[in-house]
Amino acid sequence: MTTFSLRKSESMAARILRGLLSSPKATIAAVICLILVFSAIFAPLIAPQNPYDLNEIDFFDAKLPPMSEGYSGMTYILGTDGQGRDMFSAMLYGLRTSLAVGVTSGLLAMLVGTALGLIAAYRGGFLDSFIMRFVDLMLGFPTILVALMVLVVFGQGVGKVILALVFVQWAYFARAVRATALVESGKEYAEAARCLGIPAWRIMGGHILPNCLPPLIVIGTIQVASAIAAEATLSFLGIGLPITQPSLGLLISNGYQVMLAGLYWMSVYPGLLLLVLVFSVNIVGDRLREILNPRLAQ
Amino acid sequence: MTVFILRRVLQAILVLFITSLVVFLGVYAIGDPLEILLPADASMAERAQVAASLHLDDPLPLQYLNFITSALQGDFGRSFVYNRPALDVIFERLPATLELVTTSLILSLILGIPLGLIAGVKPGSVTDESIMTGSILGFSLPNFWQGMMLIMIFAVWLGWLPSTGRGETGYILGIRTSYATWDGFIHLLLPATNLALAQIALVIRLTRTGVQETMPLDFVKYARARGISERRILFVHVLKTILIPIVTVLGIEFGSLIAFAVVTETIFAWPGVGKLIIDSINMLDRPIVVAYILVIVAMFIVINLVVDVLYSLLDPRIRSRAS
């Protein structure tokens, strides 16, 4: 790469955008992600009905297969559930909940993990080995077991599920940030900053942290996908989100109870939506790893 | 060396102690089992009597002390629901889970290794690409959704296999197992596949990397020079060298499979410990929840400890880095 030095000066956002667009697979996945995020945000505007407003749903329309016309003349493209709710609307609202929980817990885990990782790298010594032992311990346990323990200990609810997901995920961020920060703080610019007498916390926060961003972005994306999948799993098991805020996982779980009777649409369509969501976020994350990994980029 | 092992053992005991404390406190806080055990119109005297018989009226530290001393003797209290010792209920269900987990491990080996070998031998080929894409799919499909689709396809649409339950069991060498009867065996297939899918993907990746690293080595060239067929080189010579790391990783994965069996068992109504824990959480059956978590965590800590110690025996660098 002859223009290597020029490339370096390109802003990170531009580099990510160019990298994404250069791969058709990643472009499609990114577009799907954007569409899904916008549909989730504007769900109340897009959805044909508010599935949780009892005035809008008609019990006579219960269990209608996809594309059938309801009592009130409305066409249910994806059918209705056991209460006569439009599946399409319920899925849009479910997507909203799933995305909100996944993104919130991903960001919180990033915050906690980055802070602990930086502290570990900056302080070293006892604190470092204590935090890293804890990280090893967390990564050694399977996600589902840790989440189960947190939910058993703290009880159920939206906040508790987010807490459980943060608890499961922070360690990935902490490990990556610590490793990068250790490498970065040995570099010349960090040494120069130290020579200038800049306080250590400012070097860590203002100089080293920005250079930890590439791995953080990659892990963040992939962890959001895994948080969405984990939340769906917990809700499916009946120990996740409460029934008042149905996420995609809960919709699938409700539909699963009638799936064996042949009413497939109540669980298959929310499942497909979940699959598309998780899969496209993962593909974008994979591509970001390729773009931002300096070893692969050269 | 002894110091290293001693430190790890102490750490393991500390982790187990903290887990027991946290879980005990948390489980104490989530709900009042009396609400579930007693009819709504129970009198105060009845409540007090039941609370006293279950030692629910003691102060918290005393309850923990009682709990930990009896737990160390293998007594986690009686299940509120089954009215039998919690550990007995768990150990009674454990064989079903272990059967599921071992079947999945075997499945992942007999499917994952050949696929990984084929993919690794010609990297970049169409076969390799499709096997690897399949393995990405295996990683990223949510486990419960995979299970549902398996039921949908093989039980509902095709009607080839039973959808849920364990089926008939028989005895082989005194062990109660599904392998003894045809009915049990076909009941085992779907849940075992569901649990194995992620492991198959993992084994494919490990095998593929192993093949790619081993193929350029001298002993492979020598085997070729001796006129041994490519097939024999791959399936005997190369396979032998890459089998050890694969088996090691699967050994470590054994514990997480037991944990992930929670999902599979719930979908397929498999009567193992995973289904037991979900049912117990929903019924606030505290002794079972606590006993399950502590048994599984203890198992994990022991597996990790053994792996740590074995690795440090084999690779002295790890020892010096840790101390």
Side-chain angles (χ1 to χ4, degrees):
Chain A
M1 207 184 274
T2 45
T3 53
F4 182 69
S5 54
L6 275 176
R7 287 276 163 83
K8 266 284 178 198
S9 63
E10 190 180 15
S11 84
M12 194 155 67
R15 188 149 62 105
I16 289 174
L17 194 65
R18 211 167 39 82
L20 277 180
L21 289 177
S22 66
S23 151
K25 194 167 86 174
T27 314
I28 296 171
V31 170
I32 292 176
C33 286
L34 277 180
I35 294 174
L36 289 181
V37 168
F38 276 108
S39 345
I41 295 173
F42 298 109
L45 299 177
I46 303 169
Q49 63 167 214
N50 179 352
Y52 302 106
D53 182 353
L54 287 177
N55 294 323
E56 285 188 40
I57 60 175
D58 203 331
F59 196 74
F60 290 111
D61 289 349
K63 298 182 182 172
L64 287 180
M67 294 317 287
S68 47
E69 198 174 318
Y71 203 68
S72 56
M74 174 177 154
T75 308
Y76 300 106
I77 1 173
L78 297 181
T80 59
D81 74 355
Q83 271 85 48
R85 217 169 263 140
D86 175 34
M87 274 317 292
F88 179 63
S89 311
M91 279 163 58
L92 280 175
Y93 278 76
L95 180 68
R96 212 171 144 91
T97 314
S98 287
L99 263 177
V101 171
V103 171
T104 314
S105 51
L107 286 180
L108 280 177
M110 184 190 279
L111 213 66
V112 174
T114 308
L116 287 174
L118 276 182
I119 290 173
Y122 157 57
R123 277 300 182 81
F126 169 74
L127 205 58
D128 182 26
S129 52
F130 179 76
I131 292 177
M132 289 329 280
R133 264 322 278 171
F134 197 32
V135 165
D136 285 345
L137 190 75
M138 295 299 301
L139 295 180
F141 281 95
T143 323
I144 188 95
L145 185 64
V146 178
L148 212 67
M149 271 172 66
V150 175
L151 289 174
V152 161
V153 169
F154 293 100
Q156 291 159 24
V158 181
K160 313 291 170 41
V161 170
I162 293 177
L163 183 74
L165 294 176
V166 170
F167 210 75
V168 166
Q169 301 189 312
W170 68 271
Y172 294 93
F173 294 100
R175 191 176 56 176
V177 167
R178 175 182 173 272
T180 321
L182 279 181
V183 173
E184 291 295 327
S185 61
K187 287 191 180 166
E188 278 140 357
Y189 74 91
E191 202 130 327
R194 269 195 289 273
C195 291
L196 286 172
I198 296 172
W201 62 270
R202 276 198 57 189
I203 300 181
M204 283 321 260
H207 299 234
I208 291 178
L209 183 59
N211 287 303
C212 297
L213 260 158
L216 272 179
I217 293 173
V218 174
I219 297 174
T221 318
I222 288 167
Q223 288 304 316
V224 164
S226 89
I228 293 171
E231 178 274 313
T233 306
L234 292 173
S235 295
F236 180 79
L237 292 175
I239 52 172
L241 295 181
I243 203 111
T244 47
Q245 278 151 303
S247 65
L248 290 175
L250 208 61
L251 288 180
I252 298 170
S253 165
N254 290 339
Y256 177 62
Q257 283 148 19
V258 293
M259 193 187 81
L260 293 181
L263 309 175
Y264 66 93
W265 60 90
M266 293 181 211
S267 51
V268 169
Y269 292 132
L272 278 178
L273 182 60
L274 178 72
L275 193 68
V276 169
L277 176 65
V278 173
F279 207 52
S280 40
V281 176
N282 266 330
I283 288 176
V284 171
D286 247 16
R287 181 68 194 148
L288 286 177
R289 190 203 304 277
E290 283 165 23
I291 302 167
L292 296 173
N293 189 336
R295 264 177 304 169
L296 293 176
Q298 282 165 33
Chain B
M1 191 61 222
T2 329
V3 177
F4 174 80
I5 295 177
L6 213 64
R7 270 174 54 168
R8 279 294 145 91
V9 172
L10 279 178
Q11 271 174 356
I13 293 173
L14 187 70
V15 169
L16 204 54
F17 169 72
I18 294 173
T19 319
S20 75
L21 191 64
V22 170
V23 169
F24 176 80
L25 285 177
V27 170
Y28 185 86
I30 52 168
D32 186 359
L34 290 181
E35 297 285 326
I36 290 190
L37 290 174
L38 290 171
D41 56 351
S43 69
M44 284 310 279
E46 278 173 320
R47 295 183 70 92
Q49 196 201 344
V50 175
S53 73
L54 295 172
H55 295 288
L56 294 172
D57 53 352
D58 286 343
L60 214 48
L62 185 62
Q63 278 196 40
Y64 178 71
L65 197 70
N66 283 334
F67 159 76
I68 198 76
T69 39
S70 28
L72 286 174
Q73 296 158 12
D75 174 13
F76 286 89
R78 296 179 87 80
S79 155
F80 299 152
V81 176
Y82 301 91
N83 196 24
R84 292 180 35 223
L87 211 58
D88 285 6
V89 178
I90 287 179
F91 280 138
E92 187 185 284
R93 300 278 205 111
L94 204 55
T97 302
L98 290 180
E99 182 178 82
L100 192 61
V101 168
T102 32
T103 311
S104 305
L105 281 181
I106 295 168
L107 263 182
S108 58
L109 285 177
I110 55 178
L111 291 177
I113 289 180
L115 285 174
L117 287 175
I118 296 166
V121 120
K122 275 188 198 146
S125 66
V126 182
T127 335
D128 173 44
E129 285 284 323
S130 33
I131 291 176
M132 290 320 283
T133 313
S135 89
I136 294 176
L137 215 66
F139 269 124
S140 51
L141 289 181
N143 203 279
F144 70 97
W145 198 75
Q146 283 174 3
M148 271 174 40
M149 287 303 111
L150 285 176
I151 292 182
M152 191 80 202
I153 296 168
F154 292 102
V156 179
W157 285 344
L158 297 174
W160 290 352
L161 294 167
S163 58
T164 52
R166 195 182 179 193
E168 240 176 89
T169 53
Y171 288 87
I172 297 178
L173 302 172
I175 302 166
R176 193 166 158 247
T177 166
S178 301
Y179 285 108
T181 65
W182 176 247
D183 182 55
F185 180 69
I186 54 173
H187 272 88
L188 185 59
L189 279 179
L190 280 187
T193 312
N194 173 231
L195 194 57
L197 275 173
Q199 303 302 313
I200 296 174
L202 181 70
V203 173
I204 289 178
R205 283 173 169 245
L206 287 172
T207 314
R208 182 175 179 268
T209 321
V211 171
Q212 282 182 311
E213 280 168 2
T214 316
M215 280 316 249
L217 295 185
D218 286 342
F219 83 90
V220 177
K221 285 182 195 147
Y222 176 57
R224 256 189 217 127
R226 273 159 64 205
I228 296 171
S229 73
E230 279 297 310
R231 180 185 295 253
R232 194 177 154 77
I233 292 175
L234 186 61
F235 284 90
V236 178
H237 297 232
V238 172
L239 183 58
K240 255 189 211 162
T241 52
I242 59 178
L243 214 51
I244 298 167
I246 295 172
V247 171
T248 316
V249 171
L250 279 192
I252 303 171
E253 286 291 311
F254 188 77
S256 25
L257 274 180
I258 291 188
F260 276 105
V262 168
V263 181
T264 304
E265 287 179 9
T266 308
I267 303 170
F268 291 92
W270 188 262
V273 281
K275 182 146 174 35
L276 178 70
I277 176 74
I278 298 294
D279 292 345
S280 302
I281 290 177
N282 288 327
M283 290 190 283
L284 297 185
D285 194 351
R286 275 199 245 160
I288 300 257
V289 173
V290 171
Y292 170 87
I293 289 181
L294 290 184
V295 167
I296 301 288
V297 168
M299 204 182 64
F300 251 93
I301 290 173
V302 170
I303 292 176
N304 284 345
L305 186 70
V306 170
V307 171
D308 268 4
V309 170
L310 282 183
Y311 274 9
S312 74
L313 283 175
L314 297 175
D315 189 348
R317 282 173 301 181
I318 295 172
R319 235 177 302 157
S320 58
R321 212 185 303 149
S323 55

